[in-house]
Each structure stands twice: as structure tokens, then as C-alpha cells.
Amino acid sequence: MAAGTDILFEAFKSEKLTLPNRIVMAPMTRSFSPGHVPGDNVVEYYRRRAEGGVGLILTEGVSPNTTTATGTPNVPNIVTDDAKAGWKNVVDSVKGAGGKIGIQLWHEGPFRNPSKTEFPDIPSWSASGHKMPGKALWEPMNDDEIELAITEFVDAAVASKEAGFDCIEFHGAHSYLIDSFFWDKSNIRDDQWGGDWTGRTRFACEIIKRTRAKLGNDYPLIIRLSQWKQQDFDANSAANPDELSKWLTPLVDAGIDIFHCSQRRFWEPTFDGSDLNFAGWAAKLTGKPSISVGSVGLSGEFTAAYSGEVSKPASLDNLVARMERNEFDLIAVGRALLQDAQWANKIREGRNDELMEFTKDALATLE
Ligand SMILES: Cc1cc2nc3c(=O)[nH]c(=O)nc-3n(C[C@H](O)[C@H](O)[C@H](O)COP(=O)(O)O)c2cc1C
């Protein structure tokens, strides 16, 4: 093992989830599932990452319904019988390679463009019908739609456990449906689903509570959160630690086990006066394990990669230092693992001269 990165390869043991090491493959949409069914190419893609020594794979975002959840082409769901069977093949293959895998359940909410979907007449869902503050594109969800959305998430969670996934991650970040309820700029409702943090966390809490009731107390549930929004990288859902506590505590009470705290650069502090990052604050305030993410092992951040920025391999020293002082428990790695399925093994074995730069080409093939 290479000196200096040992902490990444220590086992992770929590109440409900045990992993052989601390490296998590970040959820990354691939759009390679025609008919929304994950096929053999998806099986191979995830199996290669399990063989590459990752401690936990989190899948690309997976739709919990066939209607409103996605406008992105060829995104898989876990709703139809074919899709459920496809995911079972993925899980079996990853486990056959000695890996562990969780599914990310993703509803795009306001970021679905109806005109680009099979159901252009079905409006998109969001807390207040706003994609951008002040710009109403759709009506706010009504109570029936909210109830349907919750039920669909819970059914998808049940199907995910049946397919054999080791855990479930709810995508509650990046301005998508669940996050549209959290953020006070995109949730301006004045009913029980809006208002203060109790109201704005209610939608997520109902999904979590009802999932917990169906899946039992031992099944690990993760939620991914972000302060930043797609339409505003500098946004902060929580302005200070007290607000963050009001955001996270109801989610813990509802049954969340692990927080996955999305940042574009993991080393950036979340609040003034402390260099703790978002995952560090989540762990400190809740006592729950947390996952950090953002530009691990690469010089540039992921949104710039879409416009062609090439990222060079970068030092892991800052990451190692933070993990050695227990700021957070797990680290998710996105593009480095997209580019190179063997990334974790190369780090463990100190094969630094074999690490690759990340180019936009990897986004086109997603092999
Ligand atoms: C191609 C691509 C697809 C992504 N799709 C998702 C997704 O489906 N769900 C999600 O939560 N994040 C998604 N992300 C964000 C990643 O999970 C991760 O947070 C981001 O890439 C930062 O990590 P990195 O700097 O190690 O790449 C995606 C990122 C990339 C590059």
C-alpha cells in the first residue's frame, strides 16, 4: 500500500453498513439504457468499477416513475419488470466481483423539460412551479401529486431492496425535485409542505419514514444534499450551522443513516470561521457518518469538464489529512473513476505515474 493513503483503504463499519474501504463511486448519469432498461453494457460498466477496488458503488440516478421523473434520454428506471430484472443483473454481477452497490433514486423535478420526453403533456413537478426564482414555468405540485410522488419513491425503494442493492441513496441535491422543497428560493409554499425547515423537509421526511417502515430498521438509507444549486453555485440552503441542524435533524429522525454532502470542491469551507466542509458539518451536527465529494484527485471541478476543461491528476494530501482527523467517513469519486475503472487500485498500489487526466471524451463514451 502506498504510504500516505492508508486511511482510504481502512474498512468502514457503521451500524448498518460495512464496506471494505472508504472510496465510493459517485452517482453519474450515463444515458446508456435504451427503453429505460439497464442492459449488458451497464452490467459491465459497474462490474469493472467493482473489480477496480471501489468500496461502494452508487449508481447513476434512476427514475422512480415512468412519467415525470426524467427528461434525460435513456435514463434507467426501477419501475418496469424489465428494468427491475436489468438492475438485478447489475447487482449480481457487482456482488460476484466482490463489490457493494447502492442505487440512487433521482426525480429531476423542475429540470425535466416536458417537450423532450415521451409525455410532453404531463407538466413537470416541483415545490412551487419555479425553475428559477421569479419565473413560473409550471404550477406548484398539488396534494395528490405530492402523495403520488412519495408513493412512487417508496415503491422504487422497495423494488431496489428486492433487486439486492446494499443501500439506497435519495437524490436530495442539485435543485432536483426533493431539493426544490428544501431550498427557500424554490419552495415558496405557505402550506404544510413549505414555510420553515419543518415544512420544507416534510416531503423528504415522508419518503424516508414510509421507506423505513417498509424496508425495516436495518436497511441503510443515504440522502444526497447540496448547498449549491444548478442555477446558483453560490447558493446556501442553510445560512449557518443552526439552520443546517434544522435541515438535517428531521431527516435523521425520519430514518436517514448517512449524509452524502455534495460539493464541487471538497476542500471548500461551508461556513465562515471554520474550515469544515459540508460533510464535516453534517457529521458534527448529527453524529451520523458522512460522505464528501468534489474534485478528488483532479485539478478542475466537474461542471467545467462539460465545457471541455481538461483536469490533471492532483494530490490527495488534503483529502487524507481531513479523513485522518475524522472530518468525514467516506469519499465519493466521480470523474477519476469514470476515466479509469482501476483508479482505486492504482492509488492503493501507489501507481501514481499511471493516473490519467480527465478529458471531455470520457463523458461521451462513459465506458
Ligand atoms: C457525467 C456526470 C454525471 C453525473 N450524474 C449525476 C447523477 O446522476 N446524480 C448525482 O447526484 N450527481 C451526478 N453527478 C455529480 C457527481 O456525482 C459528482 O458529485 C461530481 O462529478 C463531482 O465529483 P468529481 O469531481 O469527483 O467528478 C454527475 C457528474 C458527472 C461528471
Side-chain angles (χ1 to χ4, degrees):
M1 194 181 287
T5 60
D6 299 14
I7 185 83
L8 295 176
F9 298 96
E10 283 180 9
F12 168 74
K13 291 196 177 77
S14 67
E15 212 184 320
K16 302 178 196 171
L17 190 66
T18 300
L19 304 173
N21 65 53
R22 309 289 177 123
I23 298 175
V24 176
M25 180 176 176
M28 282 177 289
T29 292
R30 301 187 65 233
S31 293
F32 276 73
S33 294
H36 310 291
V37 175
D40 291 346
N41 67 325
V42 182
V43 172
E44 286 308 310
Y45 169 83
Y46 288 114
R47 185 183 173 93
R48 273 200 292 278
R49 270 67 191 182
E51 289 168 351
V54 169
L56 174 68
I57 292 168
L58 290 173
T59 68
E60 64 206 282
V62 177
S63 305
N65 72 23
T66 59
T67 49
T68 56
T70 188
T72 309
N74 300 326
V75 164
N77 67 44
I78 178 114
V79 178
T80 64
D81 287 347
D82 286 350
K84 289 176 185 172
W87 282 119
K88 186 165 186 324
N89 291 339
V90 171
V91 170
D92 289 348
S93 180
V94 165
K95 290 190 174 174
K100 296 216 167 185
I101 183 165
I103 188 171
Q104 187 188 58
L105 297 179
W106 174 41
H107 192 299
E108 284 179 34
F111 278 83
R112 162 186 176 265
N113 181 346
S115 68
K116 294 195 174 157
T117 72
E118 295 114 285
F119 303 102
D121 297 332
I122 302 183
S124 292
W125 286 351
S126 63
S128 297
H130 288 223
K131 184 172 178 183
M132 303 282 283
K135 189 172 168 193
L137 296 175
W138 298 285
E139 294 298 310
M141 289 173 82
N142 62 37
D143 280 352
D144 289 345
E145 288 166 334
I146 291 175
E147 181 60 29
L148 179 60
I150 294 167
T151 307
E152 289 173 343
F153 265 110
V154 176
D155 290 348
V158 170
S160 300
K161 188 180 179 196
E162 282 170 5
F165 282 104
D166 295 295
C167 54
I168 289 168
E169 172 170 289
F170 295 110
H171 194 339
H174 308 169
S175 330
Y176 294 117
L177 181 61
I178 295 176
D179 197 26
S180 81
F181 279 83
F182 288 143
W183 191 32
D184 63 3
K185 304 275 186 302
S186 55
N187 183 347
I188 54 169
R189 303 176 72 101
D190 55 11
D191 61 3
Q192 59 166 333
W193 306 103
D196 60 8
W197 277 109
T198 306
R200 283 184 279 127
T201 54
R202 193 183 307 279
F203 177 64
C205 286
E206 280 303 310
I207 293 169
I208 297 159
K209 265 187 226 162
R210 295 193 214 175
T211 298
R212 174 63 69 215
K214 292 264 187 189
L215 301 190
N217 283 334
D218 298 335
Y219 194 77
L221 298 178
I222 305 171
I223 190 162
R224 193 173 221 212
L225 306 174
S226 65
Q227 290 269 56
W228 65 272
K229 309 300 163 198
Q230 285 184 60
Q231 60 272 55
D232 182 0
F233 287 158
D234 297 325
N236 281 315
S237 290
N240 52 51
D242 180 50
E243 283 202 27
L244 183 58
S245 184
K246 289 184 174 134
W247 183 7
L248 305 186
T249 305
L251 304 175
V252 171
D253 293 344
I256 278 298
D257 301 301
I258 299 176
F259 287 101
H260 186 175
C261 301
S262 171
Q263 292 186 257
R264 294 184 303 132
R265 303 175 190 87
F266 73 86
W267 58 87
E268 290 182 343
T270 291
F271 301 119
D272 290 344
S274 159
D275 74 348
L276 279 186
N277 76 6
F278 191 28
W281 275 107
K284 181 182 160 92
L285 292 173
T286 65
K288 294 286 179 189
S290 68
I291 310 173
S292 187
V293 67
S295 305
V296 170
L298 289 174
S299 59
E301 60 82 45
F302 86 104
T303 57
Y306 288 104
S307 44
E309 183 185 279
V310 174
S311 286
K312 304 245 177 269
S315 161
L316 297 180
D317 290 355
N318 188 339
L319 174 70
V320 165
R322 285 169 187 264
M323 293 187 80
E324 282 180 346
R325 60 175 189 251
N326 289 324
E327 184 173 335
F328 44 84
D329 305 85
L330 298 163
I331 186 69
V333 178
R335 288 161 299 147
L337 275 167
L338 196 59
Q339 184 82 357
D340 184 359
Q342 284 293 323
W343 186 84
N345 282 342
K346 287 181 183 176
I347 297 295
R348 186 166 52 85
E349 292 161 12
R351 291 152 58 194
N352 291 355
D353 52 338
E354 295 177 42
L355 297 174
M356 299 156 85
E357 53 183 30
F358 184 85
T359 65
K360 204 179 168 190
D361 296 347
L363 294 172
T365 56
L366 294 172
E367 290 289 329

